[in-house]
Amino acid sequence: AEDGSIWVTDWGQKRIQHFGNTGTFNSTIGNGGIANGKFSTPSAIDFDSSGNVFVLDSTGRVQKFDSNGDFVSTPITTGAIE
């Protein structure tokens, strides 16, 4: 991320992990499931200029979270990624 923090897709635990710029654990986003804020297998992470976090899941769904990790919306659903 622009602030030097590290965001990691944790496929095994079906979540996103957030670490500070010194490597200190900060927080997690989500866990296993199909509801909003949950993941089947998180595959990719991106950010916008406001600090929002976008997570692509293996189902093809993109979920948007605010900079605190709170679910905002599901702006894109495209179908399973192959």
Side-chain angles (χ1 to χ4, degrees), residues 53-69:
V53 181
F54 295 83
V55 179
L56 173 66
D57 201 357
S58 63
T59 61
R61 178 174 65 161
V62 174
Q63 297 187 68
K64 179 180 179 181
F65 298 86
D66 65 20
S67 59
N68 294 317

Side-chain angles (χ1 to χ4, degrees), residues 7 10-11 15 25-26 35 37-38 40 46 54 62 70 72 77 79:
W7 295 76
D10 182 349
W11 289 19
R15 64 185 179 186
F25 175 78
N26 285 346
K38 297 182 179 286
S40 175
D46 203 357
F54 295 83
V62 174
D70 296 319
V72 175
T77 303

